[in-house]
Structure formats: C-alpha cells, structure tokens
Amino acid sequence: MRQGIITFPGNGDAYPWVVERHGHFETELRDYISRERPEIDLNPIFDSVENLLSYMPNPENYNRNYRNSTNREDIVKDGANLQMVGLLYGRVQSGKTIASICLTALAADNGYRNIIVLTSNVELLHVQTMLDFKENLSNVKVLGEPTTNSLSDYSTRLNRLDNETICVITGKKNPTSLKSIEKVVSDKRGLLPTLIIDDEGDQASLNIGKDDKNSEIYQTISDIRSSIGLHCYITVTATPFANLQLDPNKEKELYPEIIQSLSPGEGYTGADVFFKTHKNQVWRNVPEEEKDSLKFYSDNSNFEETPFGLKNAVIYHLLTCRVRKLFNIRGEHSMLLNVHKDKKSHMIIKNNLESFLNYLSETCKIGSDRWSEIEKIARRAYEDLRNTFKPLQGVSLDLRSELYQSLSAGNLSIQMINADNPNPPKYGGDFRSTFLIGQTKLGRGLRIRGLVTTYFLYTPKIANMDSYSQACRFFGYRERILPFMRIFSPEITIRRWQHIRVMEKYTYDYLESLSMGSFDGLISLGRPLMLLQNKLKSARKVKGQTDSELSSPIDNVIWHMSEIPVGKNHDFEGIRED
C-alpha cells in the first residue's frame, strides 16, 4: 500500500491501475517549471497525484467500449457506474494549485480529455486559477468560463475540438456559471472522459439546503455530473473537515471514497512554524478591543487616536522595507490588514491608515518637533527586527531618515480588496510597501506576494475552523523573508490558530498513517471538545454529515494528544498524557 492514500466505502470498489508516467503533457509541464520556477520539486507532487489518479476511473474503459459510439444514454448510464469522488488534502498555501495542474497533465496523458475546474465564487480567485492553468499548461486548450451571453459561441468552439484535444473549462461556483457549464458539456464533448477539480471543495459545493430541498450549487454540480459519461470528481482543499464529516450512507454525491494527502515541499512555512516553533518570534500581542477603535474616524483624527497596535505594525513594516533594501533582499513587501467584514469599516481603516502615514511623513521631516512622539516606537521596532534578522546586529541606522524615505512618493500603495473593489492586488515591486485592506476576499485561496506584516483583528464570537485557518495568508514558502515576518493580533486569535494547528496535525498524521480499510464516517464530532474551548467549530453544518453519537476512529486522536496549547480557557490537563 502506497503512503498517503485511504479508501472508504462508496459507490464501488477502487482498484489501482497503472498510470502512464512521463508522457507528453507531464514532460512539457516539467520543462516549463524547471525554467520558470526551478525551486519547485515536482517529483513528490507527481507521485501523489499519480497515486490518486490510479484509484479513479480508467479512461481505457471508455476507449474500449465507446470510442466510436454516439449513444449518449448508454455512455452516461455506464459513466454513472464508473464515476468516483476523491479528495486531495494539502496544507494552506502549500502548492495545491500546482498539484491540480500536475493532476491535469497526468490525466491528459492517460486518456482524460475534459478538465472542468470549479473555483471560488470570487472573481479574482477564478481569474488567478484560470491564469495559472494557462501559464503552466500552454499546450492545453484553456477556454475559461462560459457565460450566458456567449454560450452558443462557446459550445461551437468546444464541439469543434477533436477528441484528442485536451480542454480545460473553468467556472465559478455560483448557479449561473455552473448552469452554463452544464449546458456546454451536455453536447457530444461531455461524453469524453472528464476530470472535475473542485478547488476549495469544502466551500459552496456541499449541500446546505434546508428540509428536503438541495442547495442550488450542490444540485447544479450534481446535474453536471449526471449529464456526462465516465468522470472523476476531485475535491482539493486544505480544510476538509466538513467533507470528512460526511456519512456515506447519507451523502452519495460528494463523499470522498479516496483521500490523498499532499505533503508540503521543502521550505514550507505553515502552522508548525508560526504557532509553535517560531511563535514568539513572529507574534506581537494587540488588545482585542483595538478593533472597535478602528470603527470610528473623523478628518480631525490626530496621532493619539490611531490605535497603538496599528502604529507599531505600520512603523515596523516601513522600517523592515528599508532594511531589506539595505541588504538587497528583493521582492514584494506587503502588509495585510484584516479587521472587519463590512466595507464601510474597510474605508474607515483606509482613511485612518492614510492619515497616520501623512502624519509620519510630516513628523520625519527635518525641523519637525514631533519626532519624539514616534521615536520610541521606531526604536522598539528596530530592536525587534534586530533580534530576528541577525545581520542587522551591530548596525546603527538613522531611523528618522529611513522612515522618511520609505514614505516618499511612489514607495507606498494602499488598496481595499472587497466586493466594491474586486480587482487583484497591484504590487509596487522591490522595496515598495503595499497595504491591503479587506476580509473575505483577502482570505481563502488568494496568494499575497511578499506578505511580511499581518495585522489581524478579526475575532468573531464563534469562528469556523476552516475559514479561520484559510485566513492564514502568511503561510507558504516564505523561508527567505521569515526573519522579517510579524503577526500583530490578539491572544485569542493565536490561541485559536494554535488549537487549529493541533487538530490539523493529528487529522493529517492520522490520514497519513491509515492503511486501506473500511469504516463509516471519519469525524463524527461536529464540535470536538478542543475546539469548543476557544469558541471554534470544525466546519459549518451541511446535509449528509454523521450523527454525533456515531463512533469514529478519529475520536482516539482527540483524546491522545500530547501538544495541547496552554491557556486559561481550556481544560485539558487530564488528557495531556496517554
């Protein structure tokens, strides 16, 4: 049994078939990555997706029986018996998109002809994913998203492709986009072997309908699958907790029959780094009540009205940018401000930030008598940076001059990313600071380049574990800038992230260790004890989940933890040891 794959009961037994390796599409992708992104090691990624694909339907079954057939009813009926659901589980910002692209290349080399990629309903994330596929798979026809205004032309282009052409269709997970996809694949092209990749498959796809009515997105995805032949459906996510709670006896459509874990590559900085080994290095405490002071702003606001934690974070960020220039450490230099959900608050925070930056600029000018007001903050920030960036030790800087230069015209960019401002972030390049303000659209799935400073005050009374984990946009391959990175947030936020880290670690390790087996349900507890302590729940409730009274193999994991975060609001002394 190969490492990292688990089978569960479902619509049929999964037997691995021999996946052809190093074919045309895999070779082309490897050549491109070796030229453009040589730091990425594709070998473990291809090994993982090969393992997953070998348990999906073999396109040879289609080729053997239906290559020359036009009997749609027979193909779709037989395809219903061959379809499979898999889950690709990787860490936040660990390379799941490139893994999906590798899976696409491997599927193309082995007979799959249609690739449908379902993305978040956020347009900038859809565009990000579509461009990733276009950039990395230049020899594949990436058609993008069909729209209601272009369905006829889209269908014509799709059906003109010969059966050997690999076609990628992308679409957002909203009813309009999904119904458009259903229409364009309901013709002859949909009879070819199809791979469906559900990016962030724990979001929107699951059934949140009430009573006996299915939710519209869930139902439309089911309709797409019912209209095509042989296919596999792969959920890709870093937070599979809602999926893992599905009961195979209740949820037939999306229950993951196969789970493949995806190990992060070398240099990945994730929860273990930020909330365990380097927690004291990166975390700076901010009072939780500071977020309330950011709800109010007037044109007459002065220095004292800017919250203390925000002053510290901004001054630290600006000085760090200058130090990177001094040591020629190139790259984007971004700060994320995630405080409130509503758009009005985003504008207030933007105004507050602009006011403070203007004040700093005036204060740092020669002749200003207000420098002493921020000198202590600047010196404390500089000493903080010296403690983690060792080359700075013994180096003295004119902090006033450095701050002033960092504030000069052209070196700053402030952007809100929300429903009113949905465009992707624009970065200024080397040694220029980008400030990004938002909440939902700066969370799940978005890659933030050069994220050095995070100011995170979003603390709902009850938080979904999956959404809170996805908010960690500072995860990723950031070893090079790790000595500069800081998270300014309240203690409750760090406690929650610590508890999430423990839950993720044991879920991930447990899945890795399982050999092939059969059991009903994976996680039966909707709100495991450890998550309740910090007002967290594992995921939102959806239809088809296991009942809380069912036994579950992972229950033992919860009760055999050795790494329980210390805090005043937990009660785990009795379960620290086996």
Side-chain angles (χ1 to χ4, degrees), residues 12-274:
D13 296 324
Y15 296 103
W17 47 277
V18 178
V19 174
E20 177 189 340
R21 290 297 307 274
H22 304 287
H24 171 71
F25 294 99
E26 178 181 349
T27 301
E28 289 286 318
L29 177 58
R30 283 182 176 276
D31 288 345
Y32 177 81
I33 293 296
S34 66
R35 292 193 309 270
E36 302 297 327
R37 302 178 68 185
E39 72 279 5
I40 298 179
D41 182 5
L42 290 182
N43 289 324
I45 299 176
F46 267 112
D47 289 345
S48 293
V49 297
E50 175 198 358
N51 202 17
L52 178 60
L53 188 63
S54 71
Y55 283 84
M56 295 296 106
N58 188 343
E60 280 301 311
N61 294 323
Y62 167 87
N63 295 333
R64 188 166 47 246
N65 299 320
Y66 298 113
R67 177 173 288 278
N68 300 312
S69 173
T70 58
N71 189 325
R72 183 177 191 86
E73 183 178 346
D74 287 348
I75 296 175
V76 172
K77 182 179 179 180
D78 206 23
N81 296 322
L82 294 172
Q83 62 181 258
M84 290 287 290
V85 178
L87 191 153
L88 185 60
Y89 175 29
R91 305 296 177 89
V92 172
Q93 300 271 80
S94 67
K96 295 183 299 301
T97 299
I98 195 65
S100 296
I101 291 169
C102 289
L103 176 61
T104 296
L106 210 55
D109 280 331
N110 284 273
Y112 283 92
R113 291 296 171 258
N114 300 322
I115 315 296
I116 300 174
V117 183
L118 307 180
T119 75
S120 163
N121 191 35
V122 178
E123 176 62 17
L124 69 89
L125 296 182
H126 168 254
V127 171
Q128 175 181 278
T129 301
M130 181 181 66
L131 293 178
D132 284 340
F133 272 77
K134 280 188 174 181
E135 176 186 343
N136 290 278
L137 296 170
S138 59
N139 52 351
V140 167
K141 193 73 172 179
V142 180
L143 293 182
E145 182 177 37
T147 63
T148 53
N149 296 328
S150 64
L151 279 183
S152 178
D153 290 343
Y154 195 103
S155 296
T156 300
R157 283 190 295 148
L158 185 64
N159 290 318
R160 280 177 179 171
L161 300 176
D162 64 68
N163 286 357
E164 297 306 309
T165 299
I166 311 302
C167 173
V168 175
I169 300 170
T170 65
K172 297 187 292 293
K173 283 185 280 188
N174 65 51
T176 301
S177 178
L178 292 172
K179 287 175 182 177
S180 295
I181 292 175
E182 180 190 0
K183 288 179 181 178
V184 299
V185 299
S186 293
D187 210 333
K188 63 179 183 179
R189 186 75 194 187
L191 301 181
L192 299 176
T194 300
L195 163 66
I196 303 175
I197 298 175
D198 187 351
D199 191 27
E200 306 294 352
D202 61 311
Q203 182 192 46
S205 310
L206 300 177
N207 193 357
I208 57 173
K210 295 180 180 180
D211 301 324
D212 295 329
K213 187 175 181 180
N214 293 331
S215 56
E216 194 170 7
I217 292 175
Y218 170 88
Q219 183 60 55
T220 310
I221 290 175
S222 178
D223 292 342
I224 292 173
R225 298 182 64 195
S226 298
S227 67
I228 59 179
L230 177 147
H231 71 274
C232 57
Y233 187 97
I234 307 293
T235 288
V236 182
T237 184
T239 49
F241 310 107
N243 305 73
L244 297 181
Q245 292 182 65
L246 294 175
D247 186 335
N249 297 313
K250 298 178 181 178
E251 174 51 65
K252 303 295 185 182
E253 290 287 332
L254 297 180
Y255 181 79
E257 297 159 288
I258 307 293
I259 296 180
Q260 173 69 53
S261 54
L262 183 68
S263 298
E266 185 177 352
Y268 175 71
T269 53
D272 281 347
V273 170
F274 288 102

Side-chain angles (χ1 to χ4, degrees), residues 503-530:
M503 184 63 175
E504 284 185 337
K505 178 182 186 301
Y506 280 90
T507 302
Y508 193 88
D509 290 350
Y510 189 68
L511 292 176
E512 281 272 293
S513 68
L514 286 177
S515 58
M516 186 180 295
S518 177
F519 47 83
D520 291 332
L522 185 63
I523 299 178
S524 65
L525 298 178
R527 293 186 179 184
L529 175 64
M530 64 168 292

Side-chain angles (χ1 to χ4, degrees), residues 408-427:
S408 63
N411 282 348
L412 295 177
S413 171
I414 302 174
Q415 303 164 49
M416 294 186 297
I417 309 292
N418 54 31
D420 291 342
N421 304 273
N423 295 322
K426 296 180 180 178
Y427 302 93

Side-chain angles (χ1 to χ4, degrees), residues 364-382:
C364 293
K365 288 180 178 178
I366 300 298
S368 172
D369 59 359
R370 295 182 294 183
W371 169 245
S372 60
E373 295 178 350
I374 62 171
E375 183 178 15
K376 289 183 180 178
I377 300 177
R379 294 200 177 280
R380 184 165 53 245
Y382 185 65

Side-chain angles (χ1 to χ4, degrees), residues 304-446:
E304 285 74 20
E305 290 179 344
T306 300
F308 187 70
L310 182 58
K311 294 176 188 175
N312 286 339
V314 170
I315 290 175
Y316 175 85
H317 186 73
L318 294 172
L319 284 176
T320 304
C321 187
R322 294 299 299 171
V323 169
R324 288 184 66 180
K325 184 170 185 178
L326 178 66
F327 287 87
N328 198 32
I329 301 175
R330 296 182 173 274
E332 312 290 356
H333 193 80
S334 304
M335 177 173 174
L336 169 63
L337 296 93
N338 186 331
V339 180
H340 293 289
K341 265 190 173 183
D342 63 284
K343 294 176 290 185
K344 182 179 178 181
S345 292
H346 299 165
M347 179 58 73
I348 292 172
I349 294 167
K350 181 175 183 287
N351 291 339
N352 199 312
L353 177 60
E354 288 176 341
S355 177
F356 180 57
L357 291 173
N358 289 334
Y359 178 89
L360 278 179
S361 183
E362 292 297 318
T363 300
C364 293
K365 288 180 178 178
I366 300 298
S368 172
D369 59 359
R370 295 182 294 183
W371 169 245
S372 60
E373 295 178 350
I374 62 171
E375 183 178 15
K376 289 183 180 178
I377 300 177
R379 294 200 177 280
R380 184 165 53 245
Y382 185 65
E383 290 302 318
D384 183 15
L385 181 55
R386 274 212 289 213
N387 288 333
T388 56
F389 185 58
K390 301 307 181 184
L392 200 57
Q393 293 180 1
V395 177
S396 296
L397 296 180
D398 182 343
L399 300 184
R400 186 173 190 170
S401 174
E402 297 296 341
L403 274 177
Y404 184 71
Q405 292 182 67
S406 72
L407 291 159
S408 63
N411 282 348
L412 295 177
S413 171
I414 302 174
Q415 303 164 49
M416 294 186 297
I417 309 292
N418 54 31
D420 291 342
N421 304 273
N423 295 322
K426 296 180 180 178
Y427 302 93
D430 297 338
F431 317 129
R432 290 175 172 83
S433 291
T434 301
F435 296 87
L436 301 175
I437 301 167
Q439 206 278 316
T440 303
K441 294 187 185 301
L442 284 175
R444 178 188 291 266
L446 183 67

